[in-house]
Structures are given as structure tokens and as C-alpha cells.
Amino acid sequence: MLVAEAVGRALVAAGVDHVFGVVGSGNFHVTNAMVAAGARFVASRHEGGGATMADAFARTSGRPAALTLHQGCGLTNAMTGIAEAAKSRTPLVVVTAEATQPRSNFYVDQAGLAEAVGAVSRRVTSAGTALADTVGAVATAVHQRATVLLNLPLEIQAHELPDGQSTESVELPPAPAPPTPSPSEVERLAAALSAASRPVFVAGRGARSHAARDALIALAERSGALLATSAVAKGLFVGEPFSLDVSGGFASPLAAELIRGADLIVGWGCALNMWTMRHGALIAPGATVVQVDDTTDALGAHRELTFGVHGDVALTAAGVDESLLEGDLGAGAAGRAGYRSPELATRLARELAWRDVPFEDTSTDGQIDPRALTIALDDLLPTERVVGVDSGNFMGYPSMFLHVPDERGFCFTQAFQSIGLGLATTIGAALAQPDRLPVAAVGDGGLMMSAAELDTVRRLGLPMVVVVYNDDAYGAEVHHFASGGHPMDTVTFPETDIAAIARGYGFTGVTVRTVRDLDAVRSWIAGPRDTPLLIDAKVRGDQPSWWLEEAFRGH
């Protein structure tokens, strides 16, 4: 067996069952070996799209994914998606052919590229170590929640595996035990909860598991805490009567009011960064701020804490719950009211959702208010959905007004703040959740950057809905700079018939200027949904997004 085949088969044996990317000469054999071993290969039309699909698949499925790339230019084409995955700590293995001769046209410092964006660089160094190098890359990705670049030098690919080695013996090493918080840290957090009158929990990416969710719900019930999430964990507490949905820029007015009124905020697997805490504006003066994380470097990385707790979210929450129960530190077996009351439950049911916040519908005959559009789509689209959101001035509307069934129903690739990732994000999430309707929410700028992947949607037969919030501009820049009297011709464009472009790719294309135009969407939903659907929504472009103003403040 040649090294290229051995590496491909070893990746699958170690647990990778989906591989995305573009095949060239350098990664042809390793990709085919993965397919032969049972993995599904998803061909993207651009390496950047493949990277984001793999990232979203891993996030939404909870399993590692692979990205396969040609040497040199294949890797550079994918770098934005790899940067997003690395910043999000996505368990992703990027299998990249490598030209090691400096005079090769394909030569670049591939290890340096990976390290520059926060990915981990690994290399298959010989035929004798190929299996171990490959398994080590997958183990690093899975157990350290890292994006790993596995360089596969061209000359080594053609070597034969030594006698006695076989991919049949490949096995991923067991995961290390999650860190257990110290008893003193557990007692300190229990005491803080016992002393708090208005506690709020904010759960982040590190709490996106059934065990963590259940432990946090139990602890919140005992301590009287309200439950919120960061944007990437949206949906984690769906159905909980004292859930505030998302904290930060997307928080509804009532959610922001209650978080700002907390005397104790605990971030569970959540960075409590400028987005989640609105640059600290959601933290009341004198409030106790605690962060629980399984990585010590994350504690206090974004803001000053009252104290940090190093430990797994589920283990820590369960330990604190037990401490409150056994020690009766103001809680006891029945729990305490804390921030919870029947009156607040009524307010949350009536006022929390963004759609319940009054607004003036500014729709005209030619352009639809994006709020009215998104509320109408929320009512029309099936509730079992997975929503992928691109970046841009529009991004708050789908994030705030579209409901999702759980944390696996929302995929938010925003760690690098790049536009153009939303369509590929939704493709990857759709493949991870095939029983749900995939909904891609994108701006016209991001869609035009990634339009080639419309072909991937059609080719895969995905019954996807692509909603384009089309204001014929890079809206974020328009609203950020317009007040200064600057010319806007560099960030505005003539009207484009994006629905016609979609029809060219095999979509059903619908242009929406008013709510009445959504009748065509209703007809598509009724069936048979034998083509994907693109909604070219001509939205009012005169409304700036205050959540992006916060983003610009953070540059």
C-alpha cells in the first residue's frame, strides 16, 4: 500500500466520515482512498467553500471532518475558511499535498500559513511514520478541539508502507479525561450563587453538549438563574421558560435589561467577550463575574473576572449543584427563586422575542423591511430547520427573528468576520442535519462572492432555501462611512437580478419586494421541493445595524 492510500484509509479508520474540497493532482489518490474506505466526498466548486462546508459540518454534527486540498494554491484558496475554523476551535483535519522543493511553482511555506491563522501544523514525515502521523493529527483535532493542517509531501505519497503496517490496526486513542474543578473552586462558585439575588448564566461554545445543557438547566433551577447563550450557542435552551435566548449584540431589549440587572454573571464555556457582553455594557457596576472553562488560557482572556474556575462545564455545574444541595447554601432541595418569578415568566413569554418588540414597518412597493420579511419567513418555513448566517449589515435579522429548534439548528461562522461564508456554511450544516430544512441567510455581497457554490447545492439535491438580503451594497461600510460625507460608489452596485442567476444554476428563483411576493415561497414549501429555492429579497437599505457598529468599535 502506498502512503497516499494509507493516509486516506487511516483518516477514515480514525473517525472521519465526511471529506470536503477540490481534487487536484496532489490530493487525488488520498481523496480516492478516503472514499474507498467509506467516507463521503463532497466536491465544492472552490477550496474556500470546501473549507467552510467542512467547518460547518464538524460544528453541527459534533464529529470531525476533513478538507482535502491540492498543494500550494489549493491551500491558499482555502485559507479564509481555515482561519475561521481555527479561531472557532473546530475539530477539522486539512489534508494538503505539499511541494517541498523551493523551485516548484506550488511551493509555499504551508506550515507557516497554518500557524499564521492559528491552526496546528503537522506533517507526514516518512512512510514508516505515516499511520502514526495521521492518527496523531486526528487525535489533536478531536481531543484538543483544533484545526490541524496535515501536510502530505508529494515525494512521500509514492513510498510504500513498510511491511507489517496496516490501516486495519488504526485506532484513535481515547480522549483524555475532562478537567475536574477543584473542590475549593466549586465551593466558591456555590457560595457566589447562594449570595446572588439575580444570577444569569451565559453558555457558550463549550457548553454545546447534552450533558452540559442538562447540568446547567438543573443548576439554574436550583439557584434561580436565568439562562442565556452566546451567539454560537443559540438554541441551547429552547423551551426553557427562563431562557433569554442570546446575550450581546443580538439580545432583545428585555434580555439586555435582565442581563444588565444581574448581580452575578457566570460564563459557562463562554469567553464573555466584547460581542457577548456588548463591550461590558451588559455588566452592572459591582456585579460578580465568573468564567468556567476547561482551558486555563481562556479564563480572563477578554475581561477582568471576579474569579475563574478551571473545569469541564458539565462536571462543574453538576458539582456546584450538588454542593448547593448538600450544603444548603441558601438553596436547599427545593431551590430558590433568585431571578425567577411568575411575573417574569409572563413577561418573557410576552416580550422576549424580537418579533414582539414593536417597530415601524418601512416597507414600500419596491423594497421590503428586512424585519417584516424575516418575521414572515419565520412563520412560513418549517420549524425543523438549520439556519446558516453570513456576515454583513443584514446578519442580525435572521439571527434575531428566525427561531431554531436547538443549538444544532444554528450555524454562525463569524469568528473571522468574513463575508461570503454563509452559503457554504449552510451546505455543511445541511449535510450534518439531513432531516431538517436548510436555510441560508446571506447578503448580496456575500452571495456574489460565493455564487459558485449554488452549483454544489443543486448538484447535491439539497432542498435549501437561500434568503438574500439584497440592498445592492456592502451595507456595513455604507452605514459606517456615510455619515462622514464620503463617496459611496466604491461600496454600492447597480441592481442585480440574483434570482435569475440562481435559476441559471437550477434553482427556483423568486424576487420579493413585498410580503405579498412570498406567495411563491409558500408554493415552494408546499412541495415537491425538487429544486432549491433562492429568495432575492429587495430590502430597505437605509437602516444601519447597531450590532455592526459594535463590531467596528472592536476593530
Side-chain angles (χ1 to χ4, degrees):
M1 184 183 296
L2 300 183
V3 166
E5 181 182 355
V7 168
R9 289 185 173 275
L11 286 165
V12 177
V16 175
D17 60 10
H18 276 68
V19 56
F20 301 78
V22 177
V23 172
S25 60
N27 63 326
F28 181 85
H29 294 301
V30 67
T31 305
N32 281 345
M34 293 188 71
V35 174
R40 180 179 183 181
F41 173 62
V42 179
S44 60
R45 282 300 191 180
H46 189 277
E47 289 91 347
T52 303
M53 291 173 203
D55 178 15
F57 178 88
R59 296 186 195 207
T60 313
S61 69
R63 308 193 303 275
L67 171 66
T68 178
L69 300 172
H70 185 272
Q71 62 272 19
C73 52
L75 176 61
T76 57
N77 275 347
M79 285 311 299
T80 295
I82 293 170
E84 168 68 34
K87 287 176 178 289
S88 301
R89 298 190 65 186
T90 300
L92 175 63
V93 180
V94 182
V95 188
T96 310
E98 183 182 30
T100 58
Q101 298 302 317
R103 292 186 179 182
S104 168
N105 288 350
F106 295 118
Y107 177 80
V108 291
D109 181 0
Q110 296 191 172
L113 281 172
E115 292 165 2
V117 298
V120 177
S121 180
R122 295 285 186 266
R123 176 175 284 111
V124 174
T125 56
S126 69
T129 64
L131 296 181
D133 294 336
T134 303
V135 173
V138 179
T140 299
V142 174
H143 298 331
Q144 298 181 28
R145 301 195 309 276
T147 295
V148 179
L149 179 70
L150 180 61
N151 287 295
L152 188 52
L154 293 172
E155 62 273 17
I156 293 179
Q157 290 191 43
H159 292 178
E160 291 188 358
L161 212 63
D163 292 340
Q165 290 196 22
S166 169
T167 56
E168 294 180 1
S169 62
V170 166
E171 187 176 2
L172 195 68
T180 302
S182 69
S184 62
E185 290 178 323
V186 168
E187 292 303 318
R188 189 176 185 185
L189 182 49
L193 278 170
S194 177
S197 299
R198 300 177 304 281
V200 169
F201 293 171
V202 184
R205 181 180 287 110
R208 291 178 77 248
S209 71
H210 293 306
R213 180 194 62 201
D214 293 347
L216 289 175
I217 289 173
L219 179 59
E221 289 175 347
R222 190 176 309 284
S223 62
L226 304 182
L227 294 161
T229 72
S230 65
V232 295
K234 177 180 172 67
L236 186 65
F237 300 121
V238 165
E240 289 299 308
F242 288 98
S243 168
L244 303 180
D245 197 19
V246 176
S247 174
F250 296 152
S252 71
L254 179 55
E257 171 194 327
L258 294 169
I259 297 168
R260 195 179 292 116
D263 57 359
L264 169 64
I265 294 176
V266 186
W268 298 89
C270 176
L272 298 178
N273 59 24
M274 62 183 182
W275 315 116
T276 308
M277 291 289 105
R278 291 191 187 174
H279 294 271
L282 293 183
I283 301 175
T288 299
V289 180
V290 182
Q291 185 182 353
V292 178
D293 205 283
D294 64 2
T295 305
T296 54
D297 290 347
L299 296 174
H302 291 273
R303 66 179 57 262
E304 185 175 350
L305 305 174
T306 306
F307 62 92
V309 177
H310 177 224
D312 172 77
V313 168
L315 292 178
T316 302
V320 173
D321 192 42
E322 184 178 356
S323 178
L324 288 174
L325 177 61
E326 292 181 352
D328 194 25
L329 296 175
R336 58 198 296 265
Y339 222 152
R340 302 184 175 205
S341 69
E343 295 77 18
L344 181 56
T346 299
R347 280 195 73 193
L348 290 171
R350 292 178 178 175
E351 304 173 33
L352 178 71
W354 268 104
R355 64 181 298 150
D356 296 327
V357 177
F359 70 93
E360 179 185 355
D361 188 343
T362 61
S363 301
T364 66
D365 286 340
Q367 294 178 320
I368 189 169
D369 187 310
R371 295 164 294 185
L373 167 72
T374 315
I375 290 172
L377 288 173
D378 190 46
D379 291 337
L380 278 175
L381 299 174
T383 55
E384 283 298 309
R385 63 184 73 148
V386 54
V387 178
V389 181
D390 207 336
S391 190
N393 187 66
F394 76 93
M395 63 192 283
Y397 302 116
S399 300
M400 295 187 302
F401 290 100
L402 289 181
H403 290 84
V404 294
D406 53 32
E407 75 281 5
R408 302 286 183 195
F410 189 70
C411 201
F412 195 65
T413 46
Q414 300 289 343
F416 203 25
Q417 287 186 250
S418 172
I419 71 170
L421 306 186
L423 180 58
T425 290
T426 314
I427 295 171
L431 293 171
Q433 301 282 344
D435 56 333
R436 297 183 178 183
L437 177 72
V439 181
V442 302
D444 55 299
L447 188 280
M448 296 301 282
M449 282 187 178
S450 59
E453 302 307 344
L454 293 173
D455 176 74
T456 304
V457 176
R458 187 269 311 166
R459 183 166 23 90
L460 293 174
L462 297 175
M464 183 182 291
V465 177
V466 179
V467 186
V468 184
Y469 292 77
N470 187 356
D471 61 359
D472 298 314
Y474 292 140
E477 283 66 31
V478 168
H479 293 296
H480 184 64
F481 292 108
S483 61
H486 304 289
M488 292 292 109
D489 54 325
T490 56
V491 290
T492 56
F493 303 91
E495 184 172 338
T496 301
D497 189 349
I498 294 178
I501 294 173
R503 285 191 288 270
Y505 279 101
F507 277 62
T508 295
V510 175
T511 300
V512 171
R513 297 182 183 275
T514 70
V515 171
R516 296 185 301 275
D517 297 329
L518 292 173
D519 286 343
V521 176
R522 188 176 289 105
S523 297
W524 182 90
I525 292 171
R529 305 185 198 173
D530 52 356
T531 66
L533 171 69
L534 183 137
I535 302 168
D536 183 5
K538 308 296 187 181
V539 298
R540 291 289 299 266
D542 55 355
Q543 297 187 20
S545 56
W546 55 266
W547 56 84
L548 270 183
E549 281 303 308
E550 294 188 355
F552 281 114
R553 286 171 55 203
H555 281 178

